[in-house]
Amino acid sequence: MKAHDGMYIGGRWRPAAGPDTIAVVNPADEQVIAHVPAGTAEDVDAAVRAARAAFPGWAATAPAERAAGIARLRDVLVARADEIAETVTAELGAPLAMSQTVHAGVPVLVAGSYAELAASYSFEEKIGTSTVLLEPVGVVGAITPWNYPLHQVVAKVAPALAAGCTVVLKPAEDTPLTAQLFAEAVDEAGLPAGVFNLVTGLGPVAGQALAAHEDVDLVSFTGSTAVGRQIGATAGAAVKRVALELGGKSANVILPSADLAKAVKVGIANVMSNSGQTCSAWTRMLVHKDQYEEAVALAAAAVAKYVPGERVGPLVSAKQQQRVRGYIEKGVAEGARLVAGGPAAPLERGYYVSPTVFADVTPEMTIAQEEIFGPVVSMIEYADEDDALRIANGTVYGLAGAVWAGDEAEAVAFARRMDTGQVDINGGRFNPLAPFGGYKQSGVGRELGPHGLSEYLQTKSLQF
Ligand code: NAP
Ligand code: MG
């Protein structure tokens, strides 16, 4: 695979400060496909200086002009969609069809939405006798995970640029090639030098240096709760803005009046998508006790269609494969019933995990409480609606969820009582403008749409 051996800083590719590199591995066949530089604090500092230098000019650029720049960037992402999809498949392992529709497709929608929002958003408002100016926060340090390599980048960079901020990105070590392609797209779109900068590298080195850099005004992080906690503490100590998009353990609540077969089928598909590596996946399926065994049989039939190496890709790395298999072993040890899958690797090569369904899961079990981040569904039985609500809300997380019922009003009434940031009603529809983010330990702040844009703005009120 094509890779740059430098960093994209100040509008050009330049040599990395140090000699170290990171090997990029294709998780489907375990082969090394490229190397990228492992950035140091020195690279981060150069990138932050470039972003700072570009900030006053970009902040002063008319919103319509920023909108035009983001629209050009969207157009490049469209033109290079095939290359993006192939790269995501090579370094993440997603089946090519999934890479085309989701990994290459969704960022186009999100970039497009911010091209429109930059042009239409009111960066000035009247409150009584005051005029309130909505101004860009400044230099943004963006740290992203590997699970949606381009989406996670665009969901931060597009609103930041729309707001008038400039950005330094540290992408996940496992998926740096997609991030390099994004930098190429920024360059091709002709955005001003320094508005976007890329430093590839390791989290504890380059990521840590970016989060702690004194000239970064806002840190936007997506990833594990453990690292998010650290980044939040660092940002808090420096009194800088922080946005954290962390883990989830979302509930798929199937009420007795629902179309059970559809709810189970869509619920399984939701978790198997991207090999279960989706923070908002509905990994706990909650079913009424009278329908439980029927739902278990439906789930077993549904999951059989997800064949590893065909419809389901590998996990991103050997580390993630080990982690997920460990959780499956733990589920068995704690007494859950394996309906499908199990800890054994389904293929000899590649970091695959068997699509797994557990029944007889109790709400306190580890597999019902902790984020597994793999193709594993935990089916939990509830006695009545209050019990379902208590179980649904009974984790430290609150990122997403689903409710199925015979009519929408019944599902909405239940959704109102859920402690979570997003709920899909009877399946829902993807809306790139809907705010995305967590209640409780699933995070701080929101991404996407106008709510995502406002994260990158601060207010100045003028009194007359
Ligand atoms: P992670 O370590 O939190 O990685 C997320 C990003 O933070 C990566 O760019 C990572 O760099 C960077 N990072 C790591 N340590 C850092 C530090 N001390 N300071 C600054 N940045 C740092 O997540 P992971 O290890 O890839 O995955 C572990 C678990 O996190 C998963 O099993 C899953 O439960 C959860 N996760 C959640 C999401 C989500 O969308 N909410 C996404 C991915 C993972 P490196 O790539 O070099 O580690
Ligand atoms: Mg990590």
Side-chain angles (χ1 to χ4, degrees):
M1 278 253 128
K2 190 183 77 178
H4 289 274
D5 60 4
M7 307 300 184
Y8 185 72
I9 295 176
R12 63 190 175 87
W13 294 93
R14 32 164 132 165
D20 293 348
T21 62
I22 296 171
V24 185
V25 174
N26 182 332
D29 63 11
E30 306 182 21
Q31 298 300 302
V32 173
I33 54 173
H35 288 85
V36 299
T40 61
E42 214 180 316
D43 296 299
V44 169
D45 192 53
V48 172
R49 274 188 276 118
R52 175 59 60 192
F55 176 63
W58 185 244
T61 301
E65 211 175 304
R66 298 203 296 264
I70 299 167
R72 290 196 304 275
L73 174 58
R74 182 226 21 231
D75 293 345
V76 178
L77 297 179
V78 171
R80 300 184 68 175
D82 287 341
E83 199 183 342
I84 290 166
E86 281 159 25
T87 304
V88 173
T89 289
E91 64 182 357
L92 177 68
L96 191 59
M98 164 84 180
S99 292
Q100 286 162 335
T101 53
V102 177
H103 292 293
V106 172
V108 168
L109 297 178
V110 173
S113 75
Y114 280 112
E116 280 172 29
L117 271 167
S120 61
Y121 198 79
S122 294
F123 291 97
E124 200 176 307
E125 60 190 36
K126 283 269 183 208
I127 296 184
T129 54
S130 299
T131 296
V132 179
L133 308 179
L134 296 152
E135 299 186 334
V137 173
V139 173
V140 173
I143 301 174
T144 54
W146 40 262
N147 61 338
Y148 289 86
L150 186 59
H151 169 68
Q152 304 281 22
V153 168
V154 172
K156 296 187 190 309
V157 176
L161 296 183
C165 292
T166 57
V167 183
V168 176
L169 169 69
K170 202 303 281 180
E173 66 187 89
D174 291 319
T175 55
L177 301 178
T178 307
Q180 289 191 340
L181 269 185
F182 178 77
E184 284 186 13
V186 167
D187 198 77
E188 214 178 309
L191 290 172
V195 156
F196 170 80
N197 308 275
L198 171 70
V199 176
T200 51
L202 302 177
V205 183
Q208 168 67 30
L210 182 57
H213 199 291
E214 61 178 18
D215 208 24
V216 167
D217 300 299
L218 184 161
V219 181
S220 180
F221 169 83
T222 299
S224 64
T225 298
V227 175
R229 213 186 292 281
Q230 251 178 292
I231 286 177
T234 304
V239 198
K240 66 175 69 160
R241 293 265 293 260
V242 66
L244 304 172
E245 206 275 271
L246 309 176
K249 192 72 193 174
S250 298
N252 179 17
V253 181
I254 307 176
L255 296 175
S257 62
D259 178 342
L260 184 67
K262 186 175 175 198
V264 171
K265 192 173 147 209
V266 175
I268 293 289
N270 172 280
V271 179
M272 294 309 143
S273 172
N274 214 38
S275 305
Q277 303 167 119
T278 303
C279 44
S280 56
W282 315 327
T283 51
R284 296 180 298 150
M285 189 184 288
L286 275 54
V287 183
H288 188 270
K289 60 180 179 357
D290 294 343
Q291 299 175 327
Y292 191 74
E293 283 310 324
E294 188 186 350
V296 168
L298 288 165
V303 79
K305 299 203 181 79
Y306 294 87
V307 179
E310 292 171 25
R311 260 170 98 169
V312 189
L315 298 200
V316 70
S317 63
K319 180 184 131 196
Q320 286 301 114
Q321 183 195 34
Q322 279 316 313
R323 199 184 124 95
V324 172
R325 288 168 68 187
Y327 272 113
I328 297 173
E329 281 164 2
K330 188 130 203 183
V332 173
E334 289 185 2
R337 168 166 50 119
L338 265 180
V339 172
L347 296 171
E348 257 170 46
R349 235 152 60 111
Y351 308 128
Y352 292 91
V353 170
S354 291
T356 296
V357 176
F358 277 111
D360 301 346
V361 178
T362 61
E364 300 73 30
M365 285 182 187
T366 306
I367 56 168
Q369 288 291 326
E370 295 184 15
E371 182 172 56
I372 297 175
F373 233 60
V376 182
V377 179
S378 297
M379 298 185 69
I380 308 174
E381 171 183 303
Y382 66 81
D384 56 31
E385 234 179 76
D386 284 344
D387 192 32
L389 187 73
R390 182 184 60 79
I391 297 167
N393 288 340
T395 76
V396 298
Y397 295 114
L399 188 54
V403 184
W404 300 81
D407 71 85
E408 257 173 33
E410 187 191 350
V412 170
F414 190 94
R416 283 182 185 279
R417 301 165 73 197
M418 292 171 79
D419 302 331
T420 194
Q422 280 221 345
V423 184
D424 285 348
I425 304 295
N426 283 339
R429 258 179 303 164
F430 177 66
N431 174 8
L433 294 175
F436 183 89
Y439 279 34
K440 302 193 285 184
Q441 287 183 34
S442 285
V444 175
R446 293 291 180 271
E447 294 197 308
L448 304 181
H451 292 266
L453 178 54
S454 67
E455 292 285 328
Y456 297 94
L457 295 167
Q458 57 189 347
T459 56
K460 177 185 287 170
S461 46
L462 308 180
Q463 280 63 248
F464 294 89

